[in-house]
Amino acid sequence: MENEKASLAFSTLGHPGRLSVFRLLMRFTPKGARPTEIAQALGLKPNTLSHHLSDLTSAGLVRATRQGRSLLYAVNLDTTEGLIGYLAIDVGRARPDLLASLSATSKENPKMENKIWNVLFICSGNSARSLFAEALLRDLGKGKFNAFSAGTHPSTGPNPFALEVLKRNGHDTTELRSKDVKEYQQSDAPVMDFVFTVCDTSAAEECPPWPGQPITGHWGLPDPVKAQGTDAEKALTFAQTYGALRHRISTFVELPIASLDRLSLQSRVDEIGTEADEKA
């Protein structure tokens, strides 16, 4: 990356508001988010957000694509990669004492073949989507995964419609409960290998970096708890959400995780989150 482009990018990110927008969009990568979603998550006025997005786009850090009648903003990963590389390789002269903590995560571990992977699914209430994912991975994971779920603002308990869908599909629900994500941020909590957000609200939440630098992904789905209509119509919405997550997790458990490097694994996780959902 040229000095002028790097300087523009750094100066753009030097503003706290623009940096907050960029950090939020990174959590939505590779999907991106609509301005209304960004403004709501960060508590920004529309005109203020518009200025931030314009500056980030001009610096090449963010790109906008039209989706129907609205614009979707997403991080430009090529520019971001170039900026990080510029800081680490050019400015930092690729000093091993600066890069050791980053390169250590990409080393192959010969013992990975028999590893049991810890996976955490996060949504807002931990009453439906993330519980679906926890139960599905537990039962479809072929003994290769420890499945966990939590909520950024947990409900009092699992949604009855969600429990009914799980029971109807043969899952044991006796130990499922709504949990706060803080349970998994304690020093004695399991170290996660994967952390997935399954709703836009949880993706927008600011969380500290997870220990162990797990692979992260955003597999956002609409909240079935907000479904309107008769009980039959609500039940159908929950079943469709379950079906979409079952498709994603069935694909995930078939990944050759132990043999993939971090870049390839992140790419496969992103693909699962963006591919068309199979209907239940």
Side-chain angles (χ1 to χ4, degrees), residues 55-78:
D55 291 341
L56 288 166
T57 303
S58 296
L61 292 163
V62 166
R63 57 170 52 131
T65 56
R66 184 162 294 280
Q67 190 176 83
R69 296 183 177 180
S70 60
L71 287 175
L72 198 68
Y73 287 86
V75 168
N76 185 332
L77 291 177
D78 291 336

Side-chain angles (χ1 to χ4, degrees), residues 86-266:
Y86 173 84
L87 186 61
I89 308 294
D90 191 326
V91 178
R93 314 310 299 170
R95 287 181 58 89
D97 49 349
L98 294 177
L99 302 180
S101 62
L102 298 177
S103 59
T105 62
S106 63
K107 292 179 180 178
E108 296 296 331
N109 187 334
K111 298 181 180 179
M112 288 295 178
E113 195 65 43
N114 298 319
K115 177 180 172 64
I116 296 179
W117 308 90
N118 291 332
V119 184
L120 175 64
F121 298 97
I122 304 173
C123 70
S124 52
N126 192 212
S127 65
R129 289 164 292 185
S130 53
L131 289 179
F132 281 163
E134 178 185 355
L136 281 162
L137 184 59
R138 180 191 64 204
D139 292 346
L140 300 180
K142 304 175 181 179
K144 297 189 299 182
F145 302 92
N146 293 319
F148 307 91
S149 70
T152 53
H153 304 283
S155 301
T156 56
N159 185 282
F161 285 101
L163 291 178
E164 178 59 32
V165 170
L166 288 171
K167 291 175 182 177
R168 190 165 64 246
N169 284 275
H171 301 283
D172 182 4
T173 64
T174 53
E175 296 186 3
L176 290 180
R177 61 186 180 91
S178 297
K179 305 165 291 296
D180 195 305
V181 69
K182 293 177 182 177
E183 287 192 22
Y184 299 102
Q185 294 172 332
Q186 306 300 320
S187 59
D188 58 348
V191 175
M192 297 300 163
D193 299 295
F194 298 88
V195 176
F196 298 119
T197 50
V198 291
C199 77
D200 291 344
T201 302
S202 59
E205 292 280 348
E206 181 71 63
C207 289
W210 291 93
Q213 298 181 342
I215 295 289
T216 61
H218 178 50
W219 292 355
L221 290 168
D223 188 357
V225 175
K226 296 180 180 179
Q228 302 295 315
T230 65
D231 283 354
E233 290 170 330
K234 292 178 182 178
L236 177 59
T237 300
F238 276 83
Q240 290 172 335
T241 303
Y242 169 87
L245 281 167
R246 187 181 185 100
H247 173 62
R248 291 180 178 184
I249 290 170
S250 295
T251 303
F252 173 68
V253 300
E254 295 301 326
L255 293 178
I257 296 175
S259 62
L260 293 175
D261 59 42
R262 284 182 61 87
L263 184 60
S264 299
L265 187 53
Q266 183 68 68

